């Protein structure tokens, strides 16, 4: 099993001292569950590793992995910054009173409205992603309400991190960032230096997500620092901040546990490489930022479902259908992601069989787990899919109008509802019927 879980004398699953079966029966399914202490301990591993090896640094949690108002409090309490990628994420953070000077604002296409709102309300770092965005900001930054606008430039270091192509972002043909190649990044930064309203802090890269080896991160750090040093030579200006983005991968299956470096190994690899490269290039050690998402929340999260229809099809394949699916977890259909599960009301059993866990959406591809050996299940059983903490709740859709599950934080034996489940009323709340269509169907 992933994360900290125990089994009761009745063969039922508990997480953070909470009985998963009782929770599911009481609060309904599907439901996202998060072990709060597990997330806090991942944050602390980042913070402690950095404070020991490279104190002039910031850890900014990447909100796109999972965000809600209660979680903003936890991020703040643990001393992290927050990376947001849209006006919506920014708004949520500000509504939760997350300090604007600790927010990093990303996005390859920040809309007029998003740019205006953020300039009005304040930001810690603004990450410029394109020449066109810079052009707009050269005009708009004069409206910044808090002095000079602190910016980083997102740069594509030209690295292939060998992860799924949809989560590879640092190659030169990526839609994100400014390429080093052809002098594009250098030209843009030099242009920004001419603005009296922009404070050029440094550069950013994010090479991809779910990366299983340290080497691409080390390579990226080296390329970025070489760029920073060559910029200093060419323009006599020190880019003093380096943001290395996120991307550290995590195991989704027990057999992958050895495959991924730990958080502290990742921090050590990056900070060692930065120190070594700066020494080689005689470049001053930069202020270092990272933006982890998945490695903080994924293993701490799981989704609990109730088993419904069980069906054997010609050829012998057996489907066990649950009351959620690709609407609460699109990752299997998007990335061929693989998951493991636990039958929460019958964790250990000698009677086991191979089944596929089907979602209830109208897509034959909506299969959460293809072929997994589990205790023999019956309709009404409670199934927990593990490792769904990142990019599940945040990527949930309204497909087939399945209401979005609620989110519960589990802490010292107590469940805390932090996002209430959607209901059918929520699904039609925003609909409008113009008068010309008449009052009745
Ligand atoms: C700019 C940026 N920073 C951080 C992250 C977080 O990545 P991860 O969840 O893999 O740590 C992402 C994810 O895509 C990203 O685009």
């Amino acid at each position: 099993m992933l994360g900290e879980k125990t089994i009761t004398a009745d063969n039922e699953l508990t997480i953070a001292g909470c009985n998963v079966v009782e929770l599911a029966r009481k609060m309904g399914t599907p439901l996202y569950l998060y072990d709060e202490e597990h997330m806090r301990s991942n944050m602390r591993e980042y913070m402690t590793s950095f404070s020991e090896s490279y104190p002039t640094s910031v850890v900014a949690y990447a909100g796109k992995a999972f965000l809600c108002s209660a979680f903003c409090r936890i991020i703040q309490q643990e001393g992290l910054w927050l990376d947001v990628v849209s006006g919506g994420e920014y708004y949520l953070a500000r509504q939760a009173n997350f300090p604007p000077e600790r927010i990093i604002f990303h996005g390859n296409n920040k809309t007029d409205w998003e740019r205006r709102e953020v300039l009005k309300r304040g930001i810690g770092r603004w990450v410029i992603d394109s020449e066109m965005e810079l052009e707009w900001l050269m005009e708009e930054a004069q409206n910044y309400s808090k002095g000079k606008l602190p910016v980083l430039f997102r740069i594509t270091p030209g690295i292939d991190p060998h992860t799924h192509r949809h989560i590879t972002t640092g190659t030169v043909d990526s839609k994100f960032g400014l390429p080093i190649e052809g002098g594009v990044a250098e030209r843009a930064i030099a242009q920004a230096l001419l603005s009296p309203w922009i404070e050029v802090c440094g550069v950013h890269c994010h090479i991809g997500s779910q990366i299983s080896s340290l080497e691409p991160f080390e390579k990226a750090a080296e390329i970025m620092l070489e760029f920073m040093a060559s910029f200093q030579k060419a323009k006599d200006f020190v880019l003093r901040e380096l943001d290395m983005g996120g991307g550290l991968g995590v195991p989704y299956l027990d057999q992958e546990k050895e495959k991924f470096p730990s958080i502290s190994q990742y921090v050590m690899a990056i900070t060692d490489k930065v120190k070594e490269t700066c020494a080689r290039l005689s470049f001053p050690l930069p202020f270092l930022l990272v933006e982890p998402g998945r490695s903080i929340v994924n293993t701490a999260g799981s989704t609990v479902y109730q088993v419904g229809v069980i069906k054997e099809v010609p050829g012998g394949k057996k489907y066990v259908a649950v009351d959620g699916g690709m609407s609460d977890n699109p990752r299997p259909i998007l990335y061929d992601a693989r998951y493991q599960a636990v039958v929460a009301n019958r964790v250990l059993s000698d009677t086991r069989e191979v089944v596929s866990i089907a979602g209830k959406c109208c897509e034959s591809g909506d299969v959460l787990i293809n072929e997994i050996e589990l205790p023999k299940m019956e309709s009404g059983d409670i199934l927990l899919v593990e490792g769904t903490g990142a990019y599940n709740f945040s990527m949930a859709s309204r497909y087939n109008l399945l209401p979005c599950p609620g989110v519960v934080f589990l802490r010292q034996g107590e469940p805390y509802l932090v996002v209430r489940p959607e209901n059918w009323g929520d699904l039609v709340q925003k609909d409008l019927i113009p008068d010309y269509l008449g009052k009745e169907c």
Side-chain angles (χ1 to χ4, degrees), residues 144-160:
Y144 186 49
S145 57
K146 322 257 177 216
K148 274 189 160 197
L149 181 70
V151 305
L152 299 172
F153 281 82
R154 181 162 178 171
I155 285 176
T156 42
I159 297 238
D160 184 351

Side-chain angles (χ1 to χ4, degrees), residues 81 103 168 177 179 227 260 281 283 315 370 406 414 427:
W81 288 27
I103 302 179
T168 292
F227 172 79
F260 290 89
L281 300 170
F283 188 76
N370 193 28
E414 291 293 329
L427 297 176

Side-chain angles (χ1 to χ4, degrees), residues 91-336:
Y91 178 77
L92 183 147
R94 290 297 297 120
Q95 285 298 102
N97 278 331
F98 198 89
E101 65 277 8
R102 287 171 158 252
I103 302 179
I104 303 178
F105 184 37
H106 278 284
N108 68 311
N109 184 24
K110 304 172 184 78
T111 63
D112 298 351
W113 169 252
E114 288 174 327
R115 297 197 309 279
R116 202 171 323 127
E117 283 303 303
V118 172
L119 285 171
K120 198 161 71 194
R121 296 158 186 250
I123 196 74
R125 296 289 180 278
W126 181 303
V127 184
I128 298 177
D129 192 274
S130 64
E131 288 168 286
M132 192 172 273
E133 183 182 345
L134 171 63
E135 223 173 275
W136 293 335
L137 267 192
M138 294 289 281
E139 285 290 315
E140 295 168 355
Q142 61 185 297
N143 303 324
Y144 186 49
S145 57
K146 322 257 177 216
K148 274 189 160 197
L149 181 70
V151 305
L152 299 172
F153 281 82
R154 181 162 178 171
I155 285 176
T156 42
I159 297 238
D160 184 351
H162 306 298
T163 183
H164 192 283
R165 69 192 163 86
H166 291 164
I167 46 178
T168 292
T169 51
T171 52
V172 286
D173 58 352
S174 164
K175 74 168 185 174
F176 297 105
L178 296 147
I180 294 177
E181 252 182 46
V184 180
E186 185 181 295
R187 262 199 316 277
I189 301 173
Q191 170 81 8
L193 287 174
L194 302 175
S195 167
W197 302 301
I198 290 178
E199 180 194 354
V200 176
C201 299
V203 283
H204 167 281
C205 72
H206 170 76
I207 55 176
S209 199
Q210 185 57 359
I211 298 170
S212 58
S213 86
L214 297 173
E215 188 240 321
F217 295 111
E218 293 168 330
K219 191 80 205 130
E222 216 173 348
I223 293 175
M224 294 298 283
L225 285 161
E226 281 164 0
F227 172 79
M228 292 161 88
S230 94
F231 190 87
Q232 183 189 16
K233 254 197 201 123
K235 308 287 174 195
D236 194 23
F237 180 87
V238 176
L239 296 162
R240 53 178 202 286
E241 296 188 5
L242 172 59
D243 184 337
M244 290 297 300
L248 177 63
V250 292
Y252 281 77
L253 305 173
D254 284 335
Q255 63 266 34
E256 293 175 343
K257 277 181 181 162
E258 302 304 311
K259 188 176 154 196
F260 290 89
S262 68
I263 290 170
S264 46
Q265 286 167 332
Y266 160 85
V267 172
M268 195 56 75
I270 288 197
T271 55
D272 279 356
K273 183 53 83 178
V274 167
K275 289 180 211 164
E276 175 198 312
T277 312
C278 284
R280 172 169 66 77
L281 300 170
S282 304
F283 188 76
L285 284 176
F287 183 73
L288 197 56
L289 301 95
V290 288
E291 301 167 343
R294 190 191 311 265
S295 52
I296 286 178
V297 291
N298 197 63
T299 316
S302 35
T303 313
V304 63
Y305 302 96
Q306 181 167 316
V307 170
V309 166
I310 299 176
K311 179 194 280 183
E312 209 164 321
V313 294
K317 189 162 184 158
K318 192 166 184 179
Y319 286 105
V320 171
V322 293
D323 50 0
M326 61 184 280
S327 49
D328 59 75
N329 183 358
R331 294 190 68 262
I333 208 160
L334 272 180
Y335 310 126
D336 298 321

